[in-house]
Amino acid sequence: MEHGKYRFIVGFLIVPLAIYSVFVIWPFAQSIYYSFTDWTGLSPDFEMVGFDNYIKLFSDDVFWKSLQHSLLFLLLLPLVTISLALFFAFMINVGGRRRKNSAVSGVRGSSFYKIVYFFPQVLSIAIVALLFRFAYNPRSGSLNAALDAVGLSALKTAWLGNPETALWAVMAVMVWCTVGFFVVLFSAAMTSIPRDYYEAALLDGADRITTFFRITLPLLWDTVQSGWIYMGILALGAEAFAVVQIMTTGPGGPAYATTVLPLYVYLKAFRDGQAAYATTIGVALLVVTLAFAAVVLKLGRRERLEY
């Protein structure tokens, strides 16, 4: 009977595992293989060069600058986005004042706020990047115009043309376009928490801040951990590439001030014709992504709470 059960499980798993191996594992293996060659990406001919690409990587100043920017994305974007999303979701679901029919409720107009926060998810990331590129325009952009209107003309700058502000301007766009998804995600998770927990805590004299840290956050921890990993992957992947590629000059400028690892892979492969070196950078990006996921899972491990 046990033997038949295992054959039944293997029968269901063999097809999806085969598809995963062909479309995920095999491309990764190919990338690692090509990183040891001099392949240009334009010709089928190449030679093995050993660790030459990796030696070149360690002496590449633009790579280290790109890695620094990607790590900054990796540290700050999940922290800011997840924190804002948790705050907004808490206020929408249980952060309102007590009402006659319920001691626990969201702020007034919470349904409207959910739509507003989720609206950026409806837009393509390319459209969002273009809109903010126009907004950041130093001459005709709405941001500098708003600063003029409130008497803060001294703060006006070329947001995407100034190396000191360009990266922060890009990060702000990524927070704006992703926070709504996590608001909806955390709101859905909060609706499954029994209201009795909050009502009992409020009767015992707990305030909203206490209920958040003692009830909401512990019971949402698995969802927060998954969201943190997902946001980190967005910060290291296509989301960061698309925003930087569309919004910045160069792209990645000025003076590589906004270049991130996914964009540097693209530039080396398609602009410079160095596909093998691009795959080497891709391998480094893979290592950073796996290390990030492992650290989050390790540091975030805690006893599972049931309710």
Side-chain angles (χ1 to χ4, degrees):
M1 189 68 180
E2 288 291 323
H3 182 65
K5 181 182 72 172
Y6 288 123
R7 282 198 304 176
F8 179 77
I9 294 173
V10 171
F12 269 97
L13 289 179
I14 190 168
V15 174
L17 285 177
I19 295 174
Y20 184 81
S21 298
V22 171
F23 291 101
V24 178
I25 302 299
W26 178 241
F28 278 135
Q30 280 186 310
S31 298
I32 295 173
Y33 172 76
Y34 283 126
S35 69
F36 293 100
T37 70
D38 63 354
W39 184 45
T40 63
L42 303 174
S43 168
D45 301 324
F46 59 85
E47 295 180 0
M48 300 297 294
V49 295
F51 288 94
D52 288 358
N53 287 324
Y54 290 92
I55 295 172
K56 177 182 177 182
L57 191 72
F58 281 100
S59 59
D60 188 347
D61 292 336
V62 178
F63 165 75
W64 289 110
K65 186 176 288 188
S66 303
L67 177 61
Q68 180 183 354
H69 297 158
S70 289
L71 291 178
L72 193 61
F73 274 41
L74 192 60
L75 294 175
L76 293 184
L77 283 178
L79 177 64
V80 175
T81 305
I82 299 297
S83 299
L84 287 175
L86 280 171
F87 172 75
F88 292 145
F90 183 78
M91 296 302 294
I92 287 173
N93 289 277
V94 295
R97 296 181 179 179
R98 298 188 186 188
R99 300 177 186 174
K100 293 181 180 180
N101 57 347
S102 177
V104 179
S105 61
V107 296
R108 294 187 183 277
S110 56
S111 299
F112 172 74
Y113 291 134
K114 287 181 182 180
I115 297 173
V116 171
Y117 292 140
F118 191 72
F119 176 72
Q121 293 296 309
V122 180
L123 300 175
S124 164
I125 186 64
I127 295 175
V128 171
L130 281 174
L131 289 174
F132 273 92
R133 182 174 182 176
F134 293 137
Y136 284 135
N137 189 291
R139 296 182 179 178
S140 59
S142 58
L143 182 55
N144 280 348
L147 292 175
D148 263 338
V150 297
L152 296 176
S153 301
L155 298 179
K156 290 171 56 178
T157 185
W159 298 97
L160 296 175
N162 185 346
E164 296 182 359
T165 60
L167 190 66
W168 302 106
V170 170
M171 291 176 66
V173 174
M174 292 194 63
V175 171
W176 183 84
C177 66
T178 55
V179 70
F181 169 80
F182 292 101
V183 169
V184 175
L185 177 67
F186 296 147
S187 294
M190 286 181 190
T191 56
S192 65
I193 300 176
R195 289 291 190 266
D196 296 344
Y197 292 1
Y198 292 106
E199 292 174 356
L202 293 174
L203 288 174
D204 288 339
D207 55 20
R208 296 297 185 186
I209 297 177
T210 302
T211 57
F212 174 78
F213 285 103
R214 295 299 180 89
I215 298 176
T216 305
L217 190 57
L219 294 179
L220 289 185
W221 189 253
D222 288 343
T223 306
V224 172
Q225 188 181 53
S226 300
W228 202 286
I229 294 174
Y230 178 67
M231 188 61 211
I233 293 173
L234 288 182
L236 290 173
E239 199 91 358
F241 165 78
V243 174
V244 176
Q245 165 78 1
I246 295 170
M247 291 183 62
T248 61
T249 57
Y256 296 105
T258 57
T259 305
V260 290
L261 285 179
L263 178 64
Y264 197 41
V265 172
Y266 170 82
L267 294 177
K268 283 297 176 183
F270 297 101
R271 185 193 66 183
D272 301 338
Q274 300 178 23
Y277 186 56
T279 60
T280 307
I281 303 169
V283 171
L285 179 59
L286 173 64
V287 171
V288 172
T289 305
L290 292 177
F292 168 76
V295 168
V296 172
L297 290 174
K298 179 68 175 179
L299 296 181
R301 184 178 301 168
R302 60 170 60 187
E303 184 179 352
R304 186 181 180 88
L305 298 177
E306 302 288 345
Y307 58 92

